Amino acid sequence: MRTGLTEKFGIDYPIFGFTPSQDVAAAISRAGGLGVLGCVRFNDPGELDEVLEWMHENTDGKPFGVDVVMPAKIPTEGSKVDLDSMIPPEHRAFVERTLDDLGVPPLPEGEDRINTGVLGWLHSVARSHVDVAMEHARKYGQIKLIANALGSPPDDVIALSHENGVAVAALAGSTHHALNHVSAGVDIVIAQGYEGGGHTGEVTSMVLWPEVVDAVGSAPVLAAGGVGSGRQMAAALALGAQGVWMGTYWLTAAEYKLGAAGDGPSTVQKALLKATSRDTVRSRIYSGKPARLLKTKWTQAWEAEGAPDALPMPLQNLLVGEAHARISVSDDPEVVAMPAGQIVGRCNDIVPVADMIADMVAEYTESVARMNESLA
Amino acid sequence: MRTGLTEKFGIDYPIFGFTPSQDVAAAISRAGGLGVLGCVRFNDPGELDEVLEWMHENTDGKPFGVDVVMPAKIPTEGSKVDLDSMIPPEHRAFVERTLDDLGVPPLPEGEDRINTGVLGWLHSVARSHVDVAMEHARKYGQIKLIANALGSPPDDVIALSHENGVAVAALAGSTHHALNHVSAGVDIVIAQGYEGGGHTGEVTSMVLWPEVVDAVGSAPVLAAGGVGSGRQMAAALALGAQGVWMGTYWLTAAEYKLGAAGDGPSTVQKALLKATSRDTVRSRIYSGKPARLLKTKWTQAWEAEGAPDALPMPLQNLLVGEAHARISVSDDPEVVAMPAGQIVGRCNDIVPVADMIADMVAEYTESVARMNESLA
């Protein structure tokens, strides 16, 4: 396939795969897409460095990207201790009580994962991700994209990325966001519709994508939210996007090993395999900003009578950080804390990444043929 | 253009236009689509009969359709007086107070529009619409489609329609609805995504359309919710639909005259022209079931602290019937009670129907060309 973005990155298919799993990201790049490693879970820059080294060794020289979380505006910055003091005790009590009610065991003895994925939401930690990624970009020239999940990255990050031959992408849930990104010097706008997993706005992909395409003029747009098939990739290109950005769909890739428990699908994957497109909910409980999550007993507890409102970012992250860690090592598919888009309804099998991509491309080709027939 | 549905109906383009305006419906059919007249506003079957006669005289023998509202299950049936007694006085007081607060004048002297569009929601009235439509189908053979906005039509309506050569379509917001329709003998499923105007489910068009297409097998699917351009029609066909069903987009057609005040755009059209894709809200206040409406001071009043919850269908219709009538003849674009989908962000000009359709088809063709390039 060929679009402006396949040519820009020298990839075979305009399929951009966001995933926290290096195994999946590497498989996407090897299969001809562009794997984008989510960095928010790395509290320790050294760990990210090792993982990027592994990515280099397992991608046959193909390009890949990184995704960092740098909020454009954060309510506060500071050490974990400073922020901790801002969390109301009632909120802590609710979380503890809910975990007990749901039968989520404490963290295993000796496993200090309390802060996993929490500090990554802080600006200072995100900056360390950028530094490590840029070092790798200079060293091997494979990191070709840095994406920011929350707003435009700071000016100097954009400048630094460009110096190192790394394109900058940013997620947008509205044309307003998209225009801000382009003004800030962002190269690629990722327009994410309401149906997407994680942070989303209110406008759906069908309406948002062409609106953003028209608003940003010549800047390329990646279509996110609701993509998990070749037909949806065809819809994205029909609507004017130059490629697709997918997240949820890779969670049931055979290569996805995070949170895995023993042989076979992990607890999270079991939950995803069972979910329909109606089993998600958009809520502030994951991060403090509206994000679409898999609907489980955990999300339902926050919607019940008497549950507290979510705190603003980054306090909500800190509040639920340990809970997420406890849930992620427990084994009840009905108690899962996981961002997921409505496309989860199509996550019905554990499939290797290469097969997923081959199927998408075949279905894309069929869609185009069908459309040609409509004009014959 | 050619799809299974253009061939079935002998139309030039797979564009199905739902509208309460006979002027717009006739213009859609004349321009090569299939205009579908919304009947819910006709309390008097005699008035519908006259309007259908007018449609016959103004459609050059082209096919058209009707849309009725027959709830599969209604909480109660009865005279307006029976139902009136079930409405809590606090609800009535809230409506009166809100209309006063918003400066909506009483109905003009001598204008008895109090019940406009209210009785149409009752099963018995909807049945009279069916009878009138069938008479016209037999008489002129132009009525080729009857659509039901709420659930599958009753068995005998489906049988009667088929006897008269009229295909039956029904709106679905989930695969569950869609499968029920097909089992009931419905010929065409209209899959309406979350972004659509009027009654909608929670799953967006990008995810819902292909899901419904796969679920119903050989039954043709019309794609509804978020369609207002040739690119969106291309997305619909890419996703496996055989055509598009559009409602909101026609509200700013030059031919749309309902609620018009003097020369130029009507009050409602002024409100629609100004709205962005973010200016809608999904609420039960219009009918008792979740429906997407234009966000105005009227919808905001129902979201304010202390506002009552909406009543179930059909009580909410009765409760707000007079309010809707008063609002529809008042002239403040900020106080409008109107179903509208997120595509309202693209309703930016008053355009004749023929131009809208020509633009869509041209843009569709461009989209297909762009997709062919992606495979070249």
Side-chain angles (χ1 to χ4, degrees), chain A residues 283-323:
Chain A
S283 160
R284 294 201 305 112
I285 67 166
Y286 195 80
S287 70
K289 284 177 185 278
R292 186 172 298 283
L293 311 173
L294 194 63
K295 193 189 287 174
T296 69
K297 287 181 178 170
W298 171 249
T299 62
Q300 283 163 340
W302 284 87
E303 288 176 354
E305 189 79 28
D309 286 341
L311 299 172
M313 181 179 282
L315 298 180
Q316 183 70 14
N317 296 91
L318 283 173
L319 171 64
V320 296
E322 180 171 345

Side-chain angles (χ1 to χ4, degrees), chain A residues 5-371:
Chain A
L5 289 180
T6 60
E7 302 211 327
K8 181 180 178 74
F9 291 104
I11 52 180
D12 296 332
Y13 310 115
I15 298 175
F16 292 69
F18 163 78
T19 172
S21 157
Q22 62 267 30
D23 299 281
V24 174
I28 294 167
S29 285
R30 286 198 307 271
L34 194 114
V36 180
L37 181 71
C39 296
V40 77
R41 72 186 173 89
F42 298 99
N43 284 339
D44 172 8
E47 195 188 344
L48 176 60
D49 184 55
E50 280 171 32
V51 165
L52 290 178
E53 192 70 28
W54 182 93
M55 291 275 293
H56 163 63
E57 289 161 7
N58 287 276
T59 40
D60 307 338
K62 303 277 177 86
F64 60 90
V66 293
D67 181 279
V68 292
V69 179
M70 286 182 284
K73 292 176 199 150
I74 46 174
T76 182
E77 177 83 336
S79 72
K80 185 168 175 309
V81 176
D82 296 338
L83 293 169
D84 268 350
S85 68
M86 298 170 68
I87 296 176
E90 310 85 78
H91 279 74
R92 292 193 195 280
F94 170 79
V95 169
E96 278 308 314
R97 194 169 66 240
T98 301
L99 292 171
D100 283 353
D101 290 351
L102 298 178
V104 178
L107 282 174
E109 199 75 31
E111 185 156 354
D112 181 18
R113 293 186 53 179
I114 291 179
N115 293 327
T116 300
V118 172
L119 296 177
W121 294 90
L122 298 180
H123 202 92
S124 49
V125 178
R127 289 300 288 248
S128 75
H129 297 155
V130 173
D131 293 340
V132 172
M134 290 303 144
E135 200 184 305
H136 274 265
R138 281 190 295 272
K139 195 155 142 200
Y140 300 117
Q142 275 184 284
I143 295 186
K144 291 292 188 193
L145 179 72
I146 183 165
N148 189 19
L150 289 171
S152 306
D155 288 348
D156 65 311
V157 170
I158 295 178
L160 185 66
S161 301
H162 289 166
E163 275 166 33
N164 289 296
V166 178
V168 179
L171 232 69
S174 69
T175 51
H176 176 73
H177 288 163
L179 289 170
N180 282 352
H181 292 336
V182 172
S183 306
V186 165
D187 304 294
I188 300 167
V189 173
I190 306 167
Q192 156 122 322
Y194 170 85
E195 53 271 74
H199 296 112
T200 72
E202 286 164 24
V203 182
T204 71
S205 292
M206 188 60 59
V207 174
L208 181 70
W209 297 346
E211 208 171 84
V212 170
V213 166
D214 290 348
V216 300
S218 61
V221 173
L222 281 171
V227 183
S229 71
R231 279 176 287 176
Q232 283 147 340
M233 178 160 65
L237 270 67
L239 291 164
Q242 295 198 12
V244 293
W245 173 270
M246 295 158 63
T248 302
Y249 200 56
W250 312 110
L251 295 172
T252 50
E255 291 87 348
Y256 189 85
K257 299 295 180 201
L258 295 174
D263 287 340
S266 66
T267 304
V268 166
Q269 286 179 323
K270 283 178 194 155
L272 296 163
L273 291 171
K274 218 181 58 176
T276 74
S277 56
R278 301 178 71 187
D279 295 327
T280 70
V281 61
R282 185 165 168 268
S283 160
R284 294 201 305 112
I285 67 166
Y286 195 80
S287 70
K289 284 177 185 278
R292 186 172 298 283
L293 311 173
L294 194 63
K295 193 189 287 174
T296 69
K297 287 181 178 170
W298 171 249
T299 62
Q300 283 163 340
W302 284 87
E303 288 176 354
E305 189 79 28
D309 286 341
L311 299 172
M313 181 179 282
L315 298 180
Q316 183 70 14
N317 296 91
L318 283 173
L319 171 64
V320 296
E322 180 171 345
H324 286 174
R326 282 173 62 177
I327 290 172
S328 78
V329 295
S330 70
D331 60 0
D332 183 353
E334 296 188 17
V335 184
V336 157
M338 179 57 104
Q342 292 187 341
I343 197 66
V344 69
R346 202 168 271 277
C347 295
N348 299 326
D349 297 291
I350 302 292
V351 181
V353 165
D355 293 357
M356 286 176 159
I357 290 183
D359 287 351
M360 280 187 67
V361 174
E363 196 179 286
Y364 177 85
T365 308
E366 284 166 26
S367 284
V368 176
R370 196 170 54 245
M371 296 174 78

Side-chain angles (χ1 to χ4, degrees), chain B residues 332-353:
Chain B
D332 183 353
E334 296 188 17
V335 183
V336 157
M338 179 57 106
Q342 291 186 343
I343 197 65
V344 69
R346 202 169 273 279
C347 294
N348 298 326
D349 297 291
I350 302 292
V351 181
V353 165

Side-chain angles (χ1 to χ4, degrees), chain B residues 181-246:
Chain B
H181 292 335
V182 172
S183 306
V186 165
D187 305 292
I188 301 168
V189 173
I190 305 167
Q192 157 122 323
Y194 170 84
E195 54 270 73
H199 296 112
T200 71
E202 288 164 24
V203 182
T204 70
S205 292
M206 187 61 58
V207 174
L208 181 70
W209 295 347
E211 210 171 84
V212 169
V213 166
D214 290 348
V216 299
S218 61
V221 173
L222 280 172
V227 183
S229 72
R231 278 175 288 177
Q232 283 147 341
M233 178 160 67
L237 271 66
L239 291 164
Q242 295 197 13
V244 293
W245 174 273
M246 295 158 63

Side-chain angles (χ1 to χ4, degrees), chain B residues 1 10 80 103 111 128 135 153 159 171 196 235 259 265 286 330 347 349 368 375:
Chain B
M1 288 179 58
K80 185 167 177 305
E111 187 158 353
S128 75
E135 201 186 303
L171 232 71
Y286 195 79
S330 71
C347 294
D349 297 291
V368 177
L375 291 174

